[in-house]
Amino acid sequence: MIVAVVLALALVGVLILHTRVRRNLAQAQGQLAQARQAQEHVTRETSARNQRLVQAERQAQESTELLREARAQHDHVRAETEHLISKRIPALLSHLRAPHVIVPGVQNPALAGTDVDRQHRALLDALTRGVREEGERIDEAAQSVIRGAMSRVQTQALRAQDLLAGVQQRYSGDEHTALLREVLGLDMFNELIIRRVQVTGIACGATTGLSRDDTYLVDLVVGAISRVENFELRIEGPANHLRRRIGVAARAAESILFITAELLVNAVHHSHGTLKVTIAVHETNSGAAIVIDDAGVGLNEDQYARATRLLGGAQQVRLVDLGNPPHTGWAAIGRQVAQYGMQVTVKKSAFGGVQAVLNIPTALLVEMPEDSRPSVLAPEPVRAAVPSAGTTLRPEPVAAAPTAAAQTTAQTTAPVQPVAAAPRPEPVRAEPATAPQQRSGEDLAPLPQRRRQAPPTPRARPAGGGSQGPDSRLLTTPEEAQKRWGDFQVGAEAGRREALPTEQHDITEGN
């Protein structure tokens, strides 16, 4: 029994030990599983940490690349901005003064079309608008000052002209020849001053400063010739091809005279050969035309383009666009042309110079009254005579046209009505032949023709010339009036030629 008890106790002990061992083994297995789980967790954490580290390294590399690109972009923008400041803006300012200067684009082609390029262009556009607006404001202020100054100078010069005209009338006798010569020289100088003041003021937006009544077109042309220095030596004409009593409305009379004078001055200024400047007046389907031809140096393509732009008057011209010294002639003509709806065209003349044509619309023309006549200084129309059957065609005798009688400066510039001569007989024409194939007088080539000299009347005439009317008043015939004016103008021009210097050159004349 003792053995059985011992064996039982031993068995119990073994069972207890086995239970403890199994419990310890189970605990060890549990700890091992936990350790494995912990190891797996650590492994996963390590893998994630490694991935985050790789991603961080990759992001660091990308950041480095972006930083490098940003630095390169910054360098490009900085270089482009320096190029904008040092090259493009000065070129833009030069382009605004001289359009032929080219404004460069972006320095780096890679920046074309980018935000930097658009921002720089916006900056240049804003600068352009600012400079132009400021330039226009300054130019308008300068033109306003010039208009006021020229208006005062023109007023004083016109007063001086009236005083000189009075002196000429008071001292017109033979005993005052020397004084009259000096006065005529001063009168011519004063006329040139008035013309220069007038063109400068008109180019700056002023009016002509003079007013006229309805005036014969040919009288205006004759008056324009007198505003040109040494006109008797440099200008041939005018040739009057008008067939009707065409006049210019009062509102545009002085403007047409001014435009014609400036075109003549420009032609004379650029003509230095033996050929004179010619001028002719024609009637057209749309009104009338004044044609001026010279044999001067002519114009190149750029100058023709500039002349067309200025003479058209469509674009506003600033003082800085007129050169240094400013040439205001074409700009002033353009303002008058745009105001009255006229047209001035220039092209190459037959002699290699320039042909300028002033087209006057019908709206500015009027039919002069029957009881009025052009001044005695105006040339007779160039007409064609038609021979009758069995006769030969011969030109009518031409009376010597008083070239010197191209006008007195007081008459052509003062705001008065044109001088009306006594009624003159119409030029005699032969009746056309009755044959159906005979052409009319208008179809034949025009021939120079003047009125015939009337034979002296057999009745007694008062001493001193002229005739006596029914009311015992002394009447002056057109021929006598023409002779008197011609003699007076011959002496007047001789005085002007002696009073004026032989060498003169005004660099502000022309164009």
Side-chain angles (χ1 to χ4, degrees):
M1 285 189 61
I2 295 173
V3 172
V5 171
V6 170
L7 289 173
L9 291 173
L11 181 60
V12 171
V14 170
L15 291 173
I16 294 172
L17 180 62
H18 177 73
T19 303
R20 288 182 177 176
V21 170
R22 290 186 62 181
R23 186 170 61 248
N24 291 335
L25 182 60
Q27 291 179 351
Q29 290 178 351
Q31 291 177 353
L32 180 62
Q34 290 179 355
R36 288 179 179 176
Q37 291 178 356
Q39 181 66 30
E40 290 177 358
H41 179 71
V42 171
T43 303
R44 288 194 300 270
E45 289 291 334
T46 303
S47 177
R49 187 180 297 110
N50 291 335
Q51 291 178 358
R52 287 195 298 269
L53 181 60
V54 172
Q55 186 177 3
E57 291 178 354
R58 186 165 55 250
Q59 289 178 352
Q61 293 177 356
E62 292 177 356
S63 299
T64 303
E65 292 294 332
L66 291 176
L67 180 60
R68 187 182 300 109
E69 293 178 0
R71 288 180 178 177
Q73 185 73 12
H74 177 268
D75 294 339
H76 291 328
V77 172
R78 182 177 180 178
E80 193 63 37
T81 304
E82 292 178 353
H83 175 66
L84 173 70
I85 297 174
S86 61
K87 300 294 183 180
R88 300 182 71 181
I89 291 180
L92 174 63
L93 297 177
S94 300
H95 174 75
L96 295 177
R97 293 191 299 267
H100 67 275
V101 178
I102 300 176
V103 181
V106 292
Q107 184 180 18
N108 188 356
L111 296 177
T114 61
D115 292 338
V116 176
D117 185 18
R118 287 191 291 270
Q119 291 173 357
H120 286 188
R121 288 180 180 273
L123 177 62
L124 293 176
D125 293 340
L127 180 61
T128 301
R129 288 192 300 269
V131 171
R132 286 178 176 174
E133 291 174 359
E134 185 65 15
E136 291 176 358
R137 187 186 67 82
I138 295 174
D139 196 81
E140 289 176 359
Q143 291 189 23
S144 177
V145 172
I146 294 176
R147 283 197 303 269
M150 293 300 102
S151 176
R152 290 190 291 270
V153 173
Q154 185 177 11
T155 300
Q156 298 300 325
L158 290 174
R159 291 180 179 177
Q161 187 181 66
D162 293 337
L163 294 176
L164 292 172
V167 172
Q168 293 178 37
Q169 294 177 2
R170 289 194 301 271
Y171 299 96
S172 58
D174 295 337
E175 65 276 12
H176 303 294
T177 304
L179 175 61
L180 186 60
R181 183 181 298 112
E182 298 294 335
V183 172
L184 291 174
L186 293 175
D187 187 41
M188 188 60 189
F189 274 120
N190 188 71
E191 176 66 22
L192 297 178
I193 292 173
I194 292 175
R195 183 178 58 78
R196 294 304 306 166
V197 168
Q198 190 181 39
V199 67
T200 303
I202 292 176
C204 295
T207 62
T208 56
L210 296 173
S211 60
R212 294 178 180 272
D213 294 332
D214 295 348
T215 310
Y216 278 94
L217 178 57
V218 66
D219 278 339
L220 294 178
V221 174
V222 170
I225 294 176
S226 71
R227 295 187 176 185
V228 182
E229 187 176 354
N230 296 328
F231 60 86
E232 70 282 354
L233 301 177
R234 306 298 303 277
I235 299 177
E236 178 181 349
N240 182 9
H241 296 276
L242 301 178
R243 294 291 186 265
R244 296 184 298 162
R245 311 172 63 82
I246 296 179
V248 179
R251 66 181 185 277
E254 179 62 27
S255 296
I256 291 176
L257 193 153
F258 163 78
I259 294 174
T260 306
E262 282 304 311
L263 292 176
L264 285 171
V265 168
N266 185 71
V268 169
H269 178 75
H270 293 288
S271 298
H272 305 285
T274 58
L275 291 174
K276 292 185 177 182
V277 175
T278 61
I279 179 171
V281 188
H282 300 269
E283 184 177 2
T284 64
N285 293 330
S286 59
I290 300 174
V291 183
I292 300 173
D293 284 279
D294 67 72
V297 296
L299 302 175
N300 56 35
E301 294 183 0
D302 294 337
Q303 290 172 333
Y304 273 117
R306 180 176 180 272
T308 303
R309 178 175 61 87
L310 292 178
L311 294 175
Q315 301 179 0
Q316 186 176 2
V317 180
R318 299 190 301 170
L319 293 178
V320 295
D321 300 329
L322 301 180
N324 185 19
H327 297 276
T328 56
W330 284 353
I333 292 174
R335 283 184 178 269
Q336 294 296 296
V337 165
Q339 180 178 355
Y340 291 98
M342 294 179 285
Q343 183 184 14
V344 176
T345 57
V346 290
K347 64 178 182 179
K348 189 175 182 180
S349 68
F351 298 103
V354 176
Q355 181 186 79
V357 181
L358 169 61
N359 291 290
I360 307 170
T362 307
L364 300 179
L365 301 178
V366 295
E367 188 77 18
M368 299 300 290
E370 290 290 340
D371 57 350
S372 66
R373 292 291 186 272
S375 67
V376 294
L377 308 178
E380 286 293 329
V382 179
R383 299 180 183 271
V386 180
S388 59
T391 61
T392 58
L393 184 63
R394 293 183 181 180
E396 294 289 336
V398 180
T403 58
Q407 48 288 82
T408 58
T409 56
Q411 287 177 332
T412 56
T413 57
V416 295
Q417 296 182 358
V419 178
R424 296 179 292 184
E426 294 294 332
V428 179
R429 290 191 182 184
E431 294 295 333
T434 57
Q437 63 268 35
Q438 184 68 31
R439 295 184 296 176
S440 63
E442 297 294 337
D443 296 331
L444 295 176
L447 294 175
Q449 186 178 17
R450 296 291 186 270
R451 62 182 180 278
R452 298 180 184 273
Q453 298 291 336
T457 57
R459 60 183 179 182
R461 303 180 62 185
S467 61
Q468 190 171 3
D471 53 355
S472 300
R473 289 187 304 172
L474 185 62
L475 301 179
T476 303
T477 63
E479 289 75 16
E480 292 170 348
Q482 177 181 345
K483 184 178 183 302
R484 291 179 184 178
W485 278 109
D487 293 341
F488 176 78
Q489 290 301 317
V490 169
E493 291 172 4
R496 291 193 185 101
R497 284 195 299 269
E498 294 183 9
L500 289 174
T502 56
E503 293 292 337
Q504 294 192 24
H505 182 65
D506 188 355
I507 59 176
T508 63
E509 292 283 12
N511 298 356

